[in-house]
Amino acid sequence: MAEVEDSTAKKVYDLVIFGATGFTGQYVVEEVARIADEEAGLTWAIAGRTMSKLQKVLQEASKQTGKELEEIPIIIASVENADSLTEMCKQAKVVLNCVGPYRFFGEQMVRACVENGTHHVDISGEPQFLERMQLDYHANAKKNGAYIVGTCGFDSIPADMGVTFTRDKFDGDLNSVEAYVDFKSGPEGAGVHYGTWHSAIYGLAHSGELGALRKRLYKTPVPKSKHRPPKRSVVFYSKDVDNWCLPFPGSDKSVVNRTQKFNYEVLKERPLYFNAYFRMPSIFSTILLMIFAIMFGIMTKFSFGVKLLEKYPRFFSGGKFSHEGPTRKQVAGGSFSMTFVGEGYSNKLENLDEQHTEKPDKKIITKVTGPEAGYIATPICMVQAALVILKEADKLPEGGGVLTPAAAFAKTSLIERLDKHNVKFQVL
């Protein structure tokens, strides 16, 4: 396997985890500690604002993993100090950025990485941030040989790489994929940290920004088949997964659509339709979630509502979101699955500009499964994505740029790596 680009050849650390003192950052540090022995000669460090808090992160990670971590280097850096970010980037080959919400704190790190030829992965699920970074930094990232890959956690590696996996396993032209997401919790229940809640509030509050961004991003439309997937109502029953379903509000659709644009324009591959949905256990739970979504959406449109949501996350989420986040037992008991239902054509057309006249005549169903999504699967995905950038530069798109996971990793061993670390891809 090829080593990283020359822009990182003289840097001290293979990986630097920025925002290590955050709730998710702690779990990312633990994941790196677990896999470090698998990667011969891997050098890594953690970074954040406060030395004492960073030392406590290493102590907790040592306790959880049984690894001796006292000698792991610590870098002091803050998004409020551009010079500190520059100094960190001068030492790092890949930055694992865990500092969110990215709307407020992400660009500073992206800019520093681009300017210093440092690779960057994040776990953002914020379409406005992700699409704006592509618009504003892609050209310079490519010029400086930096790979800037967003949504490298549960948002949106399972979805984006799952669509790629489904396409690669389909014999013919794949026309559409519908993804159905299911979350399971253990006897201790489930919880989510406030950081995700905070990002969701401002993502929805500023969702109107996406129209203008996408006019710039999609100046040239991507041609697709006239055979669209079924138009779903807000609530519908899917026979494919035997569940009531609702639209999934995450970043997956935005990310997969950007990948399809890349595939068509750069790889000369046929684009496809994509939609994502929640699988609900009952019609009752479906109605409850709809009521919550309507209330949440209305409140984000008013400054007073935003303040209330920020101040009382536990109350307005029915106890699911909190500043404390889930307990270790809750995290350990969780799991996720994402089922992909693909439809397409047996006959494969070689000319991209030629569209099928016949209706889709073939179906494929695949599945991605894994442990708890937010704090176990997300660190696994993020760390393996960073290692692929580090180890497989010859299999990445030439030159760098701001990319989606599947645009960056479609030709790499990422799926095989994830499979070995309990995020499984399979054809049903």
Side-chain angles (χ1 to χ4, degrees):
M1 292 183 181
E3 294 300 322
V4 295
E5 297 285 333
D6 289 343
S7 62
T8 66
K10 296 181 180 180
K11 298 190 176 187
V12 179
Y13 305 116
D14 295 324
L15 309 179
V16 172
I17 304 158
F18 180 54
T21 57
F23 192 86
T24 308
Q26 175 73 55
Y27 283 92
V28 174
V29 171
E30 292 168 18
E31 181 62 21
V32 173
R34 286 189 190 96
I35 61 88
D37 292 342
E38 300 174 12
E39 308 291 336
L42 184 74
T43 57
W44 61 286
I46 66 172
R49 292 180 296 178
T50 309
M51 176 63 76
S52 60
K53 291 182 178 180
L54 290 163
Q55 290 171 331
K56 288 180 180 179
V57 166
L58 290 176
Q59 290 168 7
E60 177 65 16
S62 181
K63 175 184 173 182
Q64 294 296 330
T65 64
K67 306 290 185 180
E68 295 294 331
L69 304 176
E70 291 86 354
E71 301 301 318
I72 296 299
I74 292 174
I75 299 171
I76 301 302
S78 168
V79 294
E80 297 172 354
N81 185 333
D83 290 340
S84 71
L85 298 182
T86 297
E87 288 305 309
M88 179 174 67
C89 287
K90 287 179 179 178
Q91 301 177 72
K93 294 179 181 179
V94 187
V95 169
L96 289 73
N97 184 4
C98 302
V99 180
Y102 293 87
R103 155 180 291 276
F104 301 125
F105 307 119
E107 183 173 4
Q108 299 94 315
M109 191 71 258
V110 169
R111 184 189 302 116
C113 284
V114 169
E115 289 176 351
N116 290 277
T118 300
H119 310 311
H120 173 281
V121 295
D122 67 47
I123 46 176
S124 170
E126 305 165 43
Q128 298 99 317
F129 166 76
L130 297 160
E131 294 180 21
R132 190 167 62 82
M133 292 304 96
Q134 181 174 336
L135 282 165
D136 292 349
Y137 292 96
H138 178 73
N140 280 340
K142 199 168 178 65
K143 177 182 176 182
N144 293 337
Y147 290 95
I148 311 296
V149 189
T151 59
C152 286
F154 175 76
D155 287 329
S156 288
I157 278 182
D160 207 21
M161 296 303 294
V163 170
T164 295
F165 175 81
T166 305
R167 182 202 65 198
D168 290 347
K169 297 298 182 181
F170 189 81
D171 185 14
D173 280 339
L174 190 60
N175 181 64
S176 66
V177 175
E178 293 180 303
Y180 296 90
V181 184
D182 190 24
F183 299 109
K184 300 292 186 185
S185 58
E188 299 288 329
V192 187
H193 188 259
Y194 174 79
T196 302
W197 178 258
H198 198 199
S199 297
I201 292 170
Y202 281 91
L204 194 54
H206 295 272
S207 59
E209 298 171 1
L210 283 168
L213 279 172
R214 286 171 180 169
K215 283 182 180 178
R216 295 170 58 200
L217 191 62
Y218 297 102
K219 288 181 179 180
T220 305
V222 175
K224 292 181 181 178
S225 161
K226 66 179 182 180
H227 301 118
R228 293 176 173 271
K231 188 173 179 60
R232 307 295 190 184
S233 58
V234 175
V235 179
F236 68 97
Y237 191 85
S238 168
K239 292 181 180 179
D240 288 311
V241 294
D242 195 24
N243 280 110
W244 289 96
C245 301
L246 287 169
F248 184 60
S251 62
D252 291 348
K253 185 172 182 178
S254 163
V255 172
V256 172
N257 283 341
R258 287 168 55 213
T259 296
Q260 299 312 304
K261 178 179 171 64
F262 176 90
N263 288 349
Y264 176 75
E265 294 181 348
V266 178
L267 302 182
K268 307 306 178 187
E269 295 178 352
R270 190 175 297 276
L272 53 82
Y273 293 103
F274 176 79
N275 285 300
Y277 304 100
F278 267 128
R279 292 174 63 178
M280 303 300 297
S282 68
I283 187 63
F284 179 70
S285 62
T286 304
I287 293 169
L288 285 180
L289 185 57
M290 281 183 63
I291 293 170
F292 164 75
I294 291 168
M295 177 199 73
F296 186 84
I298 292 171
M299 292 184 72
T300 62
K301 301 307 177 188
F302 303 94
S303 59
F304 179 66
V306 167
K307 289 177 182 177
L308 285 175
L309 290 170
E310 288 182 303
K311 191 171 183 179
Y312 303 107
R314 191 185 294 273
F315 175 79
F316 284 106
S317 68
K320 295 297 184 184
F321 291 81
S322 67
H323 287 281
E324 297 78 21
T327 64
R328 291 272 177 177
K329 286 185 178 180
Q330 286 177 318
V331 171
S335 64
F336 82 90
S337 69
M338 188 173 286
T339 303
F340 300 85
V341 180
E343 293 189 347
Y345 313 94
S346 303
N347 180 35
K348 192 173 182 67
L349 300 178
E350 297 302 324
N351 185 353
L352 285 185
D353 296 321
E354 183 182 356
Q355 298 297 336
H356 287 269
T357 56
E358 76 278 18
K359 291 182 178 180
D361 61 351
K362 193 172 184 179
K363 179 181 281 191
I364 184 173
I365 300 179
T366 64
K367 196 170 189 177
V368 178
T369 57
E372 189 277 337
Y375 311 107
I376 300 182
T378 283
I380 290 169
C381 291
M382 185 185 211
V383 171
Q384 293 303 319
L387 290 170
V388 166
I389 293 176
L390 189 70
K391 302 286 186 177
E392 300 182 38
D394 58 330
K395 297 178 183 177
L396 302 176
E398 186 177 358
V402 179
L403 302 165
T404 61
F409 304 129
K411 311 300 182 185
T412 71
S413 68
L414 180 60
I415 288 176
E416 289 79 4
R417 282 176 165 269
L418 292 174
D419 201 71
K420 290 176 182 177
H421 291 86
N422 204 29
V423 178
K424 306 286 188 178
F425 292 69
Q426 59 181 314
V427 178
L428 298 183

